Amino acid sequence: MDTSDLSRPDSSDDVSPKPGDWKEVSRLAHDINNYLGAIAGFAEMLAEDAPPDSHTMSDLRRVQDAARRASELVHALSDYAKRSQAAPADPA
């Protein structure tokens, strides 16, 4: 038995998402976005007390920027999941 690459499914395996999978992806994306909002919010609160030109302020701005970019990715994933859920199933 060749076990060199067990991470890749056989071409005969059906790896296409099932209809309920997209709903779960959308729910998970929403939950992740809630955490990202909390991270960004706490970073903003901490930034209010940080000296303007400090390394701390620079780090907090990076945290806020990363949370914003991650949130944009999560929104894109959620939108994709919603569109895929609404798309008619491929009969193939």
Side-chain angles (χ1 to χ4, degrees):
M1 173 180 190
D2 180 15
T3 58
S4 61
D5 191 1
L6 293 177
S7 63
R8 301 182 80 180
D10 292 338
S11 60
S12 62
D13 291 346
D14 181 15
V15 293
S16 59
K18 308 297 182 262
D21 292 347
W22 291 117
K23 186 174 184 178
E24 185 65 20
V25 168
S26 184
R27 185 196 63 76
L28 183 59
H30 177 78
D31 290 348
I32 291 170
N33 208 48
N34 287 341
Y35 287 114
L36 291 169
I39 291 167
F42 281 116
E44 184 176 342
M45 287 185 343
L46 291 169
E48 291 174 3
D49 295 329
D53 294 327
S54 67
H55 289 292
T56 300
M57 179 62 82
S58 176
D59 290 344
L60 290 169
R61 294 291 178 226
R62 280 196 231 166
V63 169
Q64 289 174 311
D65 187 50
R68 179 190 51 77
R69 287 181 291 149
S71 182
E72 290 170 359
L73 286 172
V74 169
H75 278 292
L77 175 62
S78 180
D79 290 345
Y80 180 79
K82 288 174 186 174
R83 284 192 313 271
S84 295
Q85 187 176 354
D90 186 6

